[in-house]
Amino acid sequence: MSFATVVNCMDGRAQLPVITYLKTRFGVDYVDNITESGPDRILARQDDPAIVASILRRIEISGRKHRSTKLAVVGHADCGGNPASPEEHVQQIRSAVAFLQQQFPNMTVIGLWLNEDWSVTELATQGNA
């Protein structure tokens, strides 16, 4: 069994397209889901230490328990928790990827954008893709 990990929005519309993409992208069997409302903003700003610590702890568990070495962070259009412009989301996703790569240097970290049609676009990659 192989795993990847994703920090995704809690919005149910964002789950299936991302899981499908990651299973194909990384050739894994399963995807551990860590959900928050507007996770790209949370990880880019890091202004809520408790939520950031919770996310990091869950990523660490996925890595330790499921040996996940692939990590994605997601932003999406029409996000209730982060009602930013697409351009702002892209910047936040890139910042979140850089932050996560610093925290988990042995993981490949990618950033994903989901547009209004729920199509996945890979924006940023750090680590061994």
Side-chain angles (χ1 to χ4, degrees):
M1 289 186 297
S2 58
F3 285 83
T5 308
V6 65
V7 181
N8 201 349
C9 189
M10 62 181 268
D11 188 323
R13 300 172 293 177
Q15 307 306 312
L16 190 55
V18 168
I19 291 168
T20 301
Y21 180 85
L22 292 175
K23 287 175 81 173
T24 300
R25 167 69 165 84
F26 291 127
V28 296
D29 300 311
Y30 302 101
V31 178
D32 287 341
N33 287 270
I34 298 164
T35 62
E36 293 292 342
S37 180
D40 51 341
R41 178 188 52 79
I42 292 168
L43 292 170
R45 291 186 183 171
Q46 302 157 40
D47 56 2
D48 190 329
I51 293 177
V52 172
S54 173
I55 291 169
L56 297 178
R57 183 175 61 253
R58 289 179 278 164
I59 293 169
E60 189 276 326
I61 291 168
S62 178
R64 182 173 27 86
K65 178 65 178 169
H66 293 149
R67 305 208 191 300
S68 175
T69 61
K70 311 297 184 191
L71 173 61
V73 61
V74 181
H76 71 90
D78 192 36
C79 182
N82 185 13
S85 71
E87 295 79 20
E88 289 174 287
H89 278 286
V90 167
Q91 290 295 56
Q92 291 169 349
I93 292 165
R94 291 183 192 281
S95 294
V97 166
F99 171 70
L100 290 173
Q101 188 66 67
Q102 288 177 337
Q103 302 302 307
F104 300 98
N106 295 325
M107 294 183 112
T108 297
V109 183
I110 65 172
L112 303 177
W113 168 248
L114 289 171
N115 68 18
E116 299 83 4
D117 297 326
W118 304 104
S119 297
V120 177
T121 301
E122 190 167 323
L123 299 175
T125 304
Q126 291 195 10
N128 298 326

